[in-house]
Amino acid sequence: MCGIVGFVGKKQASPILIEGLSKLEYRGYDSAGVAVIDKDHINVVKCKGRLENLENKLSKHPLKGIVGIGHTRWATHGKPSDINAHPHNSQDGTISVVHNGIVENYLQLREWLMSKGYKFVSETDTEVIPQLIEYFYKGDIVEAVIRAISKIKGSYAIGVICSKEPGKLVAVRKDSPLIVGLGKNEYYIASDIPAVLNHTRDIYLLNDNEFAVITENGVKLLSEDKKEVKKDIYHVTWSANAAEKGGFEHFMMKEIHEQPKAIRDTMTSRIMPGKPVTLDDIKLTKEQIENIDKIYIVACGTAYHAGIVGKYVIEKLVRMPVEVDIASEFRYRNPIINKRTLMIIISQSGETADTLAALREAKKRGARVIAVTNVVGSSVSREADDILYTWAGPEIAVASTKAYVTQLIAIYIIALFFAQHKNTLSSEKIESIKKEMLSLPIKAEKVLGNKEIIQEMAEKIYKNKDIFFLGRGLDYAVALEGSLKLKEISYIHSEAYAGGELKHGPIALIEDGTVVIAGATQENLIKKMVSNIEEVTTRGAKVLAFTFEGNKDVERAADYVIYLPKTMDIFAPVLAVIPLQLLAYYISIKKGCDVDKPRNLAKSVTVE
Ligand code: M6R
């Protein structure tokens, strides 16, 4: 996955492109580059490494020109290097392209172009795109882009400039995100909204196979057969500041602190005392709900962990069988799906390749799909039958935090919505669950007010080589997420186990000084968890437990305890995950890791 930007206006393009790229570095950061048209010539500056390397290079070789494109890369085809960095030019240097996605048939296209005399300089799949456009160019860049695109298989969001038509930028997308920003006599393209927010809040959300032709006179949207496309302007309501760090040292910390608000926003107008759960974008009728005999929840990473909570909660409140699956497994294992299957897809970005493929597979086989996503206009939101947006706002840190808690909230909302339609809970019970749910933002704030204890814990354990997480029921689901958070940003080896599995193998790993983080919030399982804690402390482990206020048995068994405000057991994950996020954060800081951009990872995995 990569980030692309483009600019057409009256100002110098290069600083605007760099500023836009700085907001997209979360999409990839192994190399970056810009291309700007200077009169009848395209100049490219690009290099391996973070954006600051590019800025240094540009300070020595400034680029002049008012039309340009930029790119921040996360390598797929071809290692991170100066040559493989985008933009890529065509052989004669008249066409320059930035690309996010994968050209699946690039080897065939490359061979074909080579047979026509084209020479390639990079190892990337992308380089075939400018070469193809040059091949098809007969005086009309739009026509040439359309013809080139018709030869490409795979996913792409691309920006194209041509020195023979110096005032123009052409962009198109398929299966990779792309927006067009509409300023005053200046226009932008970008992979994501934060890149343009300092300049405009009015944007077009491009659909697959729509082309944007941008000049200083405006933006024309075309279909593949060159018919003009009319589209509503989407007005972004969140502020440019929302996409910045807002006074915190890292995006991750800012996003952890945004959780109370994100939880509240996600419930707004959906969960109200005395009123039925209302979901505008879920059109399922009572009859259709009655017809469902099985639910699949499919997702990747943190979103998958939210799905595990979903299984426990929906089965408990709605009494329907729920299977949770990792999207990359689901899509290839010939799952049993029919018209009576409901699939709930969870994806913060709405662009995760495996999740999107799983959605398509389910739809192909007749399932109804609800998408839980954070990104309006994302691929998942466009392809699903019903949508439930998580109103977390932009999540920039690679480690997902506020998206996770809002995914949990979305799951509770769906469970209540179904329970209401299927009468699996009395209206009094639903009211009491809603009441407790509405108190979660305040309780989450309370957990955030207790950071010092967690910081002290991080000081004590950050040098450990392995840290284990244990839990039963919903605490096991949270343990999985706590463990993922820790490993992805601190690089400490970590595993999460279901407490009952301990004796079936994992206990062999426990020795003097092993750190175990144990969840003990679920009332019917606390005694069992206390036994698990004793089993590991007896063998020398140091145990940090999290539980609700007043659970003295846990305090007696564990070495350290983090108390959470009391809530219903089903809501424990919302509060319990916060200390685990903070612990991972503080450990990562102590170890000097790059919290927001952990090595080898990208924010959204838009390729397999
Ligand atoms: O955008 P998605 O929710 O589909 O992303 C899924 C995972 O890639 C994501 O949750 C990943 O595991 C996070 N980096 C975890 O913090």
Side-chain angles (χ1 to χ4, degrees):
M1 132 160 150
C2 308
I4 72 171
V5 292
F7 175 76
V8 177
K10 293 191 192 323
K11 297 178 191 141
Q12 287 301 307
S14 175
I16 294 172
L17 297 173
I18 293 292
E19 188 223 316
L21 289 179
S22 72
K23 306 291 188 298
L24 295 182
E25 259 199 302
Y26 70 88
R27 300 181 64 83
Y29 32 81
D30 64 42
S31 52
V34 289
V36 175
I37 305 182
D38 185 6
K39 298 193 191 96
D40 58 354
H41 191 76
I42 295 177
N43 291 313
V44 177
V45 176
K46 56 183 187 173
C47 57
K48 186 181 164 189
R50 295 277 164 100
L51 196 55
E52 60 193 71
N53 296 3
L54 177 65
E55 287 179 84
N56 286 339
K57 220 167 166 183
L58 278 168
S59 65
K60 289 175 205 130
H61 309 280
L63 291 184
K64 252 178 67 195
I66 55 173
V67 174
I69 49 180
H71 189 271
T72 177
R73 181 169 187 247
W74 184 65
T76 54
H77 293 63
K79 61 186 176 300
S81 69
D82 287 359
I83 292 213
N84 288 336
H86 299 216
H88 288 284
N89 279 7
S90 65
Q91 184 161 277
D92 69 5
T94 57
I95 315 274
S96 194
V97 167
V98 283
H99 167 223
N100 169 34
I102 284 190
V103 181
E104 284 167 6
N105 57 338
Y106 81 102
L107 284 175
Q108 292 100 297
L109 290 172
R110 199 173 155 122
E111 253 173 53
W112 181 73
L113 284 159
M114 283 165 81
S115 74
K116 306 267 174 221
Y118 281 83
K119 293 201 169 49
F120 286 78
V121 293
S122 80
E123 302 156 332
T124 65
D125 53 337
T126 300
E127 201 182 350
V128 298
I129 305 175
Q131 306 278 45
L132 270 178
I133 298 173
E134 182 192 301
Y135 177 81
F136 287 118
Y137 188 75
K138 303 276 178 292
D140 179 351
I141 185 65
V142 179
E143 181 65 34
V145 173
I146 291 176
R147 291 197 64 189
I149 287 301
S150 71
K151 302 282 175 217
I152 290 172
K153 291 200 174 71
S155 59
Y156 45 82
I158 64 169
V160 184
I161 52 174
C162 171
S163 58
K164 293 181 182 161
E165 297 178 51
K168 215 176 258 175
L169 169 70
V170 183
V172 60
R173 65 156 276 174
K174 184 180 154 278
D175 296 337
S176 292
L178 190 63
I179 60 122
V180 179
L182 308 164
K184 279 198 189 110
N185 302 321
E186 52 187 35
Y187 306 94
Y188 313 81
I189 60 162
S191 299
D192 199 0
I193 296 169
V196 303
L197 266 193
N198 279 344
H199 306 282
T200 182
R201 282 151 185 278
D202 290 336
I203 60 172
Y204 285 139
L205 298 165
L206 284 193
N207 281 325
D208 277 356
N209 304 316
E210 277 176 0
F211 293 76
V213 183
I214 306 171
T215 64
E216 63 171 3
N217 301 322
V219 179
K220 203 183 230 185
L221 301 180
L222 300 175
S223 60
E224 327 163 66
D225 50 6
K226 283 173 95 177
K227 295 222 168 69
E228 197 160 340
V229 174
K230 291 276 168 236
K231 193 178 273 289
D232 290 339
I233 294 173
Y234 174 69
H235 186 73
V236 181
T237 47
W238 34 274
S239 68
N241 266 349
E244 301 291 342
K245 286 186 197 145
F248 290 93
E249 208 179 323
H250 299 97
F251 280 114
M252 183 180 176
M253 197 51 149
K254 173 178 171 258
E255 288 159 8
I256 288 174
H257 279 81
E258 284 172 344
Q259 292 183 111
K261 180 176 184 305
I263 295 170
R264 199 173 286 122
D265 289 351
T266 302
M267 289 191 291
T268 300
S269 81
R270 294 163 172 167
I271 298 291
M272 289 173 287
K275 295 205 177 132
V277 178
T278 341
L279 300 175
D280 290 347
D281 290 325
I282 296 192
K283 311 282 179 224
L284 275 169
T285 60
K286 195 172 167 52
E287 290 66 42
Q288 285 167 326
I289 293 174
E290 285 302 339
N291 191 41
I292 297 165
D293 65 3
K294 179 166 188 179
I295 298 177
Y296 274 105
I297 304 182
V298 181
C300 301
T302 286
Y304 166 70
H305 295 156
I308 297 176
V309 174
K311 173 182 170 66
Y312 283 83
V313 171
I314 296 174
E315 286 190 344
K316 181 173 174 141
L317 303 186
V318 192
R319 304 306 299 153
M320 277 176 83
V322 181
E323 212 174 303
V324 198
D325 221 328
I326 295 168
S328 56
E329 292 296 316
F330 178 91
R331 64 183 288 196
Y332 292 119
R333 75 171 168 78
N334 196 7
I336 300 164
I337 295 177
N338 56 40
K339 286 198 164 52
R340 301 191 67 185
T341 311
L342 174 76
M343 183 194 228
I344 303 175
I345 280 286
I346 309 179
S347 175
Q348 186 283 131
S349 62
E351 302 293 346
T352 300
D354 284 322
T355 309
L356 194 54
L359 178 158
R360 288 176 182 157
E361 186 61 31
K363 282 199 77 174
K364 207 162 75 193
R365 293 169 184 234
R368 175 112 185 179
V369 179
I370 299 181
V372 172
T373 181
N374 196 35
V375 180
V376 176
S378 58
S379 302
V380 154
S381 75
R382 281 201 300 252
E383 296 192 28
D385 301 294
D386 305 284
I387 314 163
L388 183 55
Y389 285 115
T390 51
W391 296 119
E395 192 180 63
I396 308 294
V398 167
S400 185
T401 53
K402 61 178 179 168
Y404 173 76
V405 294
T406 57
Q407 286 160 357
L408 297 182
I409 296 296
I411 287 292
Y412 300 132
I413 294 174
I414 292 173
L416 287 177
F417 180 74
F418 278 28
Q420 178 181 284
H421 283 288
K422 287 178 74 77
N423 297 319
T424 51
L425 296 174
S426 67
S427 49
E428 293 75 28
K429 183 71 188 166
I430 292 184
E431 278 310 304
S432 71
I433 294 176
K434 284 196 298 185
K435 187 165 173 238
E436 182 56 29
M437 213 170 148
L438 288 164
S439 74
L440 288 173
I442 290 175
K443 291 182 178 171
E445 260 153 32
K446 211 168 154 197
V447 180
L448 285 168
N450 229 354
K451 290 198 289 287
E452 289 67 27
I453 305 171
I454 297 155
Q455 205 164 356
E456 279 166 32
M457 283 310 306
E459 302 263 348
K460 286 194 207 313
I461 63 177
Y462 79 97
K463 286 190 181 141
N464 277 62
K465 290 255 176 302
D466 314 280
I467 295 183
F468 298 103
F469 289 73
L470 273 187
R472 285 170 180 259
L474 287 173
D475 291 326
Y476 170 53
V478 178
L480 288 164
E481 176 57 8
S483 171
L484 174 64
K485 250 4 25 129
L486 183 70
K487 68 174 79 121
E488 73 178 322
I489 61 167
S490 76
Y491 318 140
I492 291 179
H493 167 248
S494 170
E495 305 288 340
Y497 296 108
E501 276 292 290
L502 198 57
K503 290 199 200 67
H504 298 281
I507 201 162
L509 296 168
I510 306 295
E511 56 187 17
D512 237 6
T514 305
V515 172
V516 174
I517 298 173
T521 65
Q522 303 296 296
E523 201 169 342
N524 61 332
L525 296 167
I526 284 196
K527 282 203 169 61
K528 306 267 175 213
M529 267 319 291
V530 168
S531 301
N532 286 143
I533 293 171
E534 281 161 355
E535 280 155 14
V536 294
T537 50
T538 312
R539 287 162 178 85
K542 289 274 166 251
V543 174
L544 164 64
F546 55 89
T547 187
F548 290 134
E549 284 156 358
N551 283 340
K552 291 289 171 203
D553 287 353
V554 177
E555 189 175 298
R556 273 190 288 276
D559 297 279
Y560 314 95
V561 179
I562 297 169
Y563 281 114
L564 306 167
K566 182 85 185 104
T567 184
M568 287 177 175
D569 281 6
I570 52 167
F571 296 134
V574 178
L575 303 181
V577 78
I578 299 173
L580 304 186
Q581 296 166 341
L582 288 166
L583 189 69
Y585 175 85
Y586 287 126
I587 290 178
S588 173
I589 298 288
K590 280 298 294 176
K591 293 191 69 186
C593 303
D594 190 342
V595 177
D596 283 339
K597 292 172 188 152
R599 70 186 180 202
N600 305 338
L601 294 176
K603 180 65 184 162
S604 115
V605 184
T606 52
V607 292
E608 255 194 276

